Structure formats: structure tokens, C-alpha cells
Amino acid sequence: MKRRSLCFLTLALLLPLLFLPVGCKKTENYFAFVSDIRSDIFCAETDAFTVTVSCLEREHPFAVDGIVSPKSKTVEVILTEKAATGAEYEVYFLEDMPRGGDMTFQNVTGDYYFSRGVEEFPSGSLSLRIVSGDKIEELFLTSVKTQKTLTPEEALSFAVAAEKDTINSLTQDRFGGEFHVRLLRRDKNYYYVGIAHPESGTLSLLLDSETGEVLARRQSNQ
């Protein structure tokens, strides 16, 4: 009687295992494989130019090689003139103490660029001083995010769910690629999610920033 009871107990424990999906990959903390994050964007505009400040957390050295390295936080400032003047610009952050310096003109894009490392990113808004010759303007920039905007972690979760087969194909004992998650601002907010692998290239996804719906998909072998 005891032997029969033991047999029933063993069978009861084994039955659930028989119905487990075959070939499933181990669940990963995929956000640990993100090497490039743009988590916020701040914007302002004058009659002469637009200014955008981006909050970036990026590995160093940065390389799309499928290997995640330690990341550091940086804010990047892009100033775009509405009509080219050839002027020179300086930019200063006013929140803590004035920090900044000369902006670099970028010939390829035709705008001005400045970056600095930070310990923490601004939240909600920030203030900048723009200096060009004897002209000084102080700007109040607000974040493009709303209460409905997904976090980078949430955006990545939607991308991973939409690309299960791709993720599984890049996973052996562990995930073998890296992710790039960037908030974008065009006519409205979007998320770009890149799934990169050193051999198979990069799968680029454009997501709705509020619903996580994949709006566009493109595969690149580079």
C-alpha cells in the first residue's frame, strides 16, 4: 500500500514536467544587455535656433559588437540654426553651477554640439544659457516625455516580446547580443530599439512610445 502511494505521488510530481514547452530559452534580464540608452529629451526654441538636450547612458568604448561594456552618463546639446550665420556659440547649464563651454560646429549635420558627463540626469526641465558674441539668452527647456511615455525598460520589454524568435536565435547558454534603446522626438515621441549581434547585424525597431506597438522593422547586416 505504501509502495502504491509512493508511485502515485511520484507520478503527480512528474506529470507537470511532461507538459513544459520543449526548446524554451532561459528567461534573461534583457535590460542588463543594453549598451546604449537615450532616456529623455529636452527642447526649446527661439526665433534664431532650436536647442535639444539628450540624456544618454552609453558604454565606453562604444561599439556595436554584441558585447556590453560599463556605461557612463552624458548629456548632449544640439543647437540648430534656422538660418546659417556662421556664428560661434557657448552653452552653460545653470541648475547646479554654470558649467559648459564652447560648442563645436559639425560640418556633416550643420549644427552645433556640446557634451558633458553627469552623475545624475535632469528631471522634468532644465535651464541653459546660450552665448554668441555679446548676445546672451537664457532658455527653459522641458522634457518631451508625458505621463504616458514608456520607460526604456518597458519599451525593451515590448520589443523583446515582439521578437521572440529573433531573441531565441541569438541565445545559447545566454543572450549573445546587445540592445540599443533610444527615445526619439519627431512629430511625436517614439522609441528606437536595436537588437545587435556581431555576426547577424542589427534588427532595428520603431515603437510607439506609449503603447509599445512596433511601427517599423528593418534588418541590417552591418
Side-chain angles (χ1 to χ4, degrees):
M1 190 69 179
K2 290 183 177 179
R3 182 178 298 175
R4 182 177 297 178
S5 298
L6 181 59
C7 289
F8 279 121
L9 178 60
T10 303
L11 183 61
L13 293 174
L14 290 177
L15 275 175
L17 299 178
L18 299 177
F19 295 96
L20 285 176
V22 177
C24 287
K25 304 292 186 179
K26 181 179 68 174
T27 300
E28 299 265 18
N29 172 20
Y30 290 109
F31 203 71
F33 295 90
V34 177
S35 62
D36 177 28
I37 308 166
R38 182 190 292 136
S39 57
D40 207 348
I41 301 171
F42 299 81
C43 298
E45 182 176 3
T46 72
D47 292 337
F49 54 76
T50 61
V51 178
T52 302
V53 177
S54 299
C55 297
L56 307 175
E57 192 168 0
R58 179 175 291 172
E59 67 176 1
H60 292 279
F62 178 68
V64 182
D65 54 7
I67 301 172
V68 179
S69 301
K71 297 186 289 292
S72 61
K73 294 180 178 180
T74 304
V75 289
E76 293 184 346
V77 185
I78 299 291
L79 184 151
T80 304
E81 292 183 315
K82 295 181 178 180
T85 65
E88 296 182 352
Y89 290 93
E90 302 169 38
V91 60
Y92 298 94
F93 291 81
L94 303 180
E95 261 58 42
D96 39 22
M97 56 180 293
R99 295 180 182 178
D102 294 334
M103 304 191 76
T104 301
F105 181 74
Q106 302 184 113
N107 289 306
V108 174
T109 55
D111 50 31
Y112 296 80
Y113 174 83
F114 176 85
S115 68
R116 58 169 287 211
V118 295
E119 294 294 328
E120 298 294 335
F121 290 132
S123 178
S125 63
L126 60 87
S127 298
L128 292 181
R129 176 179 296 136
I130 304 294
V131 180
S132 179
D134 57 359
K135 186 175 182 180
I136 299 175
E137 294 193 59
E138 293 194 356
L139 305 178
F140 182 76
L141 288 75
T142 56
S143 171
V144 302
K145 295 195 301 184
T146 70
Q147 293 182 343
K148 295 182 179 180
T149 304
L150 298 173
T151 65
E153 293 90 339
E154 291 169 336
L156 180 61
S157 294
F158 279 104
V160 169
E163 294 293 334
K164 292 179 181 178
D165 291 343
T166 300
I167 300 299
N168 281 343
S169 71
L170 302 178
T171 304
Q172 298 301 322
D173 295 330
R174 66 194 295 272
F175 180 63
E178 63 180 353
F179 297 99
H180 310 283
V181 183
R182 302 168 189 159
L183 181 65
L184 304 177
R185 179 67 181 179
R186 299 295 185 265
D187 56 320
K188 62 176 187 176
N189 294 340
Y190 300 91
Y191 266 104
Y192 164 84
V193 176
I195 305 173
H197 188 271
E199 296 179 1
S200 60
T202 301
L203 174 62
S204 298
L205 305 175
L206 183 68
L207 275 62
D208 185 288
S209 69
E210 296 183 359
T211 67
E213 177 187 0
V214 177
L215 304 175
R217 183 181 189 273
R218 184 182 66 183
Q219 176 68 49
S220 171
N221 294 324
Q222 297 181 349

